[in-house]
Amino acid sequence: KRGYGRIYRITRKDKPMDRPSIDLKTIDGQIQALRNAAINVRNEGYRRLIEGGDKNLPQLLPLLNDQNPSIQARALWLISRLGAAGKSETEKLLDHSNPIMRAVAYRALRQASDDILPYAKRMMRDTSAFVRREVILSLQAVPLADSKELLLVLMNNFDASDRWYVEALGAAMETDA
């Protein structure tokens, strides 16, 4: 017989536990839920913000500058799913000064777009090897006829001592034939 357990919170016995009051009927409440550590609360905020569409963009954009990188990432993924306006805001982040934000924006666009090639062409000469590795990995599902030119550029601009880059190239070059 197997048993499973979870630790939800560790706290002192004499310390009262506060339950936050979140009004999911308001955009502010939905954003508060998105910031919550509990995945079910966070998901409910995310779901309702998606349902609200791009009218929520003005309240969500400031989250991209939050001190907490996790909040930034949650906001970025959410914004990328808010129609053409959200996608446009995500595209702007491909020029962000932080390579992690550029990589997350690229990943979000990969999920939100039918065609990753325009973004791959834009990012294939990024200054960050981390971002270029993301581009390489995104090309795995693209037919070689369409990705060959990009892969050649990405192969010519790498440091052979970067094991992760070499592995990404190897994964992109694998074929089932």
Side-chain angles (χ1 to χ4, degrees):
K1 191 172 184 180
R2 275 194 171 153
Y4 297 93
R6 289 176 177 77
I7 298 173
Y8 292 102
R9 181 184 269 181
I10 298 174
T11 186
R12 295 185 351 214
K13 285 184 178 186
D14 62 339
K15 184 178 180 193
M17 294 181 53
D18 296 330
R19 176 180 245 169
S21 174
I22 300 174
D23 182 5
L24 289 170
K25 294 178 182 164
T26 67
I27 292 174
D28 288 338
Q30 293 164 8
I31 290 173
Q32 185 182 358
L34 185 68
R35 292 173 163 280
N36 196 288
I39 193 167
N40 60 323
V41 176
R42 192 168 59 231
N43 185 57
E44 188 62 22
Y46 185 92
R47 189 183 64 74
R48 289 183 186 222
L49 287 162
I50 291 282
E51 287 173 1
D54 62 5
K55 73 176 171 90
N56 294 334
L57 268 175
Q59 289 90 348
L60 292 170
L61 290 174
L63 295 177
L64 295 173
N65 298 314
D66 196 275
Q67 294 292 333
N68 184 337
S70 295
I71 302 297
Q72 291 176 353
R74 289 176 201 166
L76 200 158
W77 281 98
L78 175 63
I79 289 168
S80 73
R81 305 243 353 252
L82 296 180
K87 199 171 180 182
S88 175
E89 290 296 332
T90 306
E91 289 170 355
K92 291 177 189 176
L93 294 170
L94 293 175
D95 296 320
H96 198 278
S97 60
N98 183 342
I100 294 173
M101 285 294 281
R102 293 194 306 269
V104 174
Y106 185 81
R107 288 176 184 166
L109 288 167
R110 183 177 173 190
Q111 182 176 327
S113 303
D114 293 330
D115 185 11
I116 195 64
L117 285 175
Y119 302 116
K121 288 176 183 173
R122 179 174 170 183
M123 302 305 289
M124 70 181 178
R125 288 188 170 85
D126 193 273
T127 57
S128 168
F130 177 67
V131 174
R132 292 192 314 271
R133 285 193 304 263
E134 286 300 320
V135 173
I136 292 168
L137 293 172
S138 73
L139 296 174
Q140 282 181 287
V142 176
L144 184 60
D146 297 332
S147 64
K148 182 178 175 182
E149 179 185 319
L150 295 165
L151 288 169
L152 288 172
V153 169
L154 290 159
M155 275 193 282
N156 287 325
N157 296 316
F158 83 101
D159 175 5
S161 66
D162 182 345
R163 188 73 188 149
W164 296 106
Y165 202 99
V166 173
E167 291 294 331
L169 283 170
M173 300 298 176
E174 282 184 3
T175 62
D176 292 332

